[in-house]
Every structure is written in structure tokens, then in C-alpha cells.
């Protein structure tokens, strides 16, 4: 995201692909929910150093950007999440205040659900401008999709000649 695109987003509202967090001195705990939600849905930008004030955004900046960036990216590659997450990292300066932006991409269906801690409690999806805890049914559907994709990939290498004619004949007779 270019700086002009970020400015444009800051003049709009948080939505399914954009979330701001103040993160002045440390990574907010709610960031992990957003990472899970972006990974499980369509991906999005997580912005640190911006405070939402009513319907407007206020650029606060992060005080120690190198520490916040390192802590955040290290956590995404650690055991905190069940999958390793590699964000796109950007740094912007607004009137000597540093804003950090991280693009969290959507994981493929074989890599979902993405959660931190335990599956049932910490699997999130993104709906409009919010992170919602995934239901048991949604978590189950992630596992089903992963399973179907794997089985479909196994079948793509088969040809008609791979089928057993005797078995087909028995099936027809049945």
C-alpha cells in the first residue's frame, strides 16, 4: 500500500480489509484476533499507530517502531499461531510520527483455520469492520474444505484407464 492509499483509507471507515490499532508502546492483544480473522477470510491491512476517535482517525504514531515491528513479526512466526504467517511490512512517517502497516494475506483452504492458542476459542473471521469469533460450524467447514481440496488433488492425476473394468461391471450389475 502506498502512502496515498493509506491516507485515502484513513479518510474512510474500517472495513473487511482494514483495521487500525493504537499500539503506541506495545502490540494490542486484539491484534491477534484480527490476524486470525484476516488469515481466515480475505486478508487485509493491520495498521499500528492510529487511534480511532469516533468516526475519525488520529495518527498517534508508535513510540519504538523497531521493537513493535520485531515483536509482531516474531509472534507471527512463533508458536503463538498454529500456522506461520508472513506479513508484508510497511513503514510510513506522518509529521515525525511513525505508522506501521502489515498486510496479512488470506491463507489457502488447506491452511485454515488459523488460530492462536486453542482452536475453538481463538479462531476468528472478518465480517464487515469487525473480528468475530468463528462458530463451531465455521471451524468444521474450514477442516472440510481442507480435506476436500486434498482429496480433489489426489483425484486429478487419475485417468479413465485407471479404473478397474471388473469393478465398474459389478457396480452396473448392482
Amino acid at each position: 500500500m502506498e502512502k496515498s492509499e493509506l491516507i485515502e483509507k484513513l479518510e474512510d471507515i474500517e472495513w473487511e480489509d482494514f483495521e487500525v490499532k493504537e499500539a503506541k508502546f506495545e502490540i494490542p492483544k486484539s491484534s491477534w484476533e484480527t490476524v486470525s480473522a484476516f488469515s481466515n477470510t480475505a486478508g487485509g491491512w493491520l495498521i499500528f499507530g492510529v487511534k480511532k476517535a469516533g468516526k475519525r482517525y488520529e495518527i498517534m504514531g508508535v513510540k519504538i517502531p523497531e521493537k513493535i515491528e520485531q515483536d509482531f513479526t516474531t509472534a507471527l512466526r512463533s508458536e503463538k499461531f498454529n500456522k506461520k504467517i508472513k506479513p508484508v511490512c510497511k513503514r510510513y512517517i506522518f509529521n515525525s510520527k511513525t505508522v506501521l502497516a502489515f498486510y496479512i494475506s488470506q491463507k489457502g483452504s488447506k491452511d485454515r483455520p488459523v488460530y492462536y492458542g486453542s482452536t475453538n476459542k481463538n479462531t476468528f473471521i472478518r465480517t464487515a469492520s469487525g473480528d468475530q469469533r468463528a462458530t463451531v460450524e465455521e471451524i468444521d467447514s474450514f477442516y472440510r474444505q481442507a480435506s476436500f481440496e486434498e482429496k480433489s488433488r489426489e483425484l486429478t492425476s487419475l485417468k479413465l484407464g485407471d479404473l478397474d473394468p471388473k469393478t465398474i461391471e459389478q457396480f452396473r450389475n448392482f
Side-chain angles (χ1 to χ4, degrees):
M1 173 178 355
E2 297 298 320
K3 189 173 183 177
S4 60
E5 292 172 285
L6 177 58
I7 292 169
E8 191 176 304
K9 290 256 189 202
L10 292 173
E11 292 171 352
D12 200 1
I13 60 172
E14 285 183 322
W15 203 240
E16 61 189 18
D17 64 345
F18 184 73
E19 175 84 19
V20 300
K21 306 281 184 192
E22 191 170 344
K24 202 170 191 176
F25 297 102
E26 62 185 20
I27 301 164
K29 293 187 184 344
S30 63
S31 300
W32 311 127
E33 296 172 6
T34 302
V35 169
S36 171
F38 283 161
S39 296
N40 288 325
T41 50
W45 285 95
L46 179 56
I47 312 298
F48 289 162
V50 177
K51 178 181 177 182
K52 189 171 182 182
K55 293 185 178 187
R56 299 187 55 219
Y57 296 110
E58 184 180 339
I59 295 175
M60 307 295 289
V62 292
K63 294 300 178 191
I64 310 169
E66 294 79 13
K67 179 184 182 321
I68 297 284
E69 184 268 335
Q70 282 298 308
D71 288 352
F72 185 68
T73 56
T74 299
L76 296 181
R77 296 189 50 75
S78 73
E79 301 298 317
K80 184 171 206 64
F81 284 87
N82 64 319
K83 306 286 182 183
K84 294 200 183 320
I85 300 165
K86 186 178 178 187
V88 172
C89 308
K90 300 279 187 171
R91 180 179 174 164
Y92 306 98
I93 308 295
F94 292 93
N95 298 325
S96 74
K97 295 177 182 175
T98 302
V99 171
L100 300 176
F102 302 94
Y103 183 75
I104 310 298
S105 62
Q106 174 188 12
K107 288 290 192 180
S109 60
K110 70 180 177 87
D111 290 324
R112 287 182 284 185
V114 173
Y115 57 87
Y116 66 98
S118 70
T119 311
N120 294 335
K121 287 175 47 179
N122 296 316
T123 301
F124 289 82
I125 60 169
R126 188 79 176 176
T127 55
S129 64
D131 303 325
Q132 304 293 319
R133 194 173 304 281
T135 65
V136 172
E137 292 81 12
E138 289 166 329
I139 293 169
D140 288 346
S141 80
F142 285 135
Y143 287 118
R144 269 193 311 278
Q145 287 172 333
S147 174
F148 288 143
E149 184 176 295
E150 190 63 34
K151 291 298 177 191
S152 293
R153 200 172 15 262
E154 289 175 13
L155 295 175
T156 57
S157 63
L158 294 177
K159 307 221 179 330
L160 190 56
D162 294 328
L163 298 174
D164 179 38
K166 186 174 181 180
T167 303
I168 293 172
E169 183 181 338
Q170 289 172 337
F171 177 74
R172 284 183 177 157
N173 291 336
F174 175 72

